[in-house]
């Protein structure tokens, strides 16, 4: 799998964790600050290309899940069937692809 794509997936998982922790904090649960998660986040961001990062942040603000899997040719973000030209490409996870409808980053689980 493309390294940048892997980093984007890891970043999204971290962001979800951080959001959950912050929600627990708001609800008054006595939890440790998520400094470590935030440090890990910084480290991943350093490895991601700036233009991908900008796109990730934009998508993140709009949807909350900027990186989604493709199942049976369908984007799991907006549930649109992706064009055959995209589906029929080989080794799709070796490149960064985005959904032509919603713009989310895509990765294939059944490639
Ligand atoms: Zn989509």
């Amino acid at each position: 799998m493309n390294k940048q794509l892997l980093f984007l997936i890891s970043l999204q998982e971290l962001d979800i964790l951080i959001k959950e922790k912050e929600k627990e904090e708001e609800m008054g649960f006595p939890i440790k600050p998520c400094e470590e998660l935030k440090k890990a986040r910084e480290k991943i961001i350093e490895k991601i290309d700036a233009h991908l990062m900008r796109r990730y942040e934009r998508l993140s603000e709009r949807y909350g899940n900027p990186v989604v899997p493709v199942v049976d040719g369908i984007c799991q973000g907006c549930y649109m069937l992706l064009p055959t030209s995209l589906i029929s490409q080989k080794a799709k996870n070796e490149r960064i692809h985005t959904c032509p409808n919603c713009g989310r980053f895509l990765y294939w689980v059944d490639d």
Side-chain angles (χ1 to χ4, degrees), residues 75 78 99 102:
C75 164
C78 66
C99 172
C102 66

Side-chain angles (χ1 to χ4, degrees), residues 33-83:
C34 45
E35 287 309 308
E36 248 140 69
L37 290 176
K38 286 187 175 156
K39 251 182 246 166
R41 187 179 197 273
E42 300 280 299
K43 281 217 174 109
I44 290 180
I45 290 176
E46 278 171 23
K47 300 180 203 292
I48 298 175
D49 291 345
H51 70 282
L52 293 177
M53 201 51 222
R54 274 198 298 276
R55 187 174 188 129
Y56 177 94
E57 298 283 10
R58 260 207 315 275
L59 286 166
S60 184
E61 272 170 36
R62 193 188 296 176
Y63 302 119
N65 62 337
V67 195
V68 295
V70 177
V71 178
D72 293 332
I74 292 169
C75 164
Q76 297 301 297
C78 66
Y79 298 98
M80 192 190 79
L81 182 65
L82 297 166

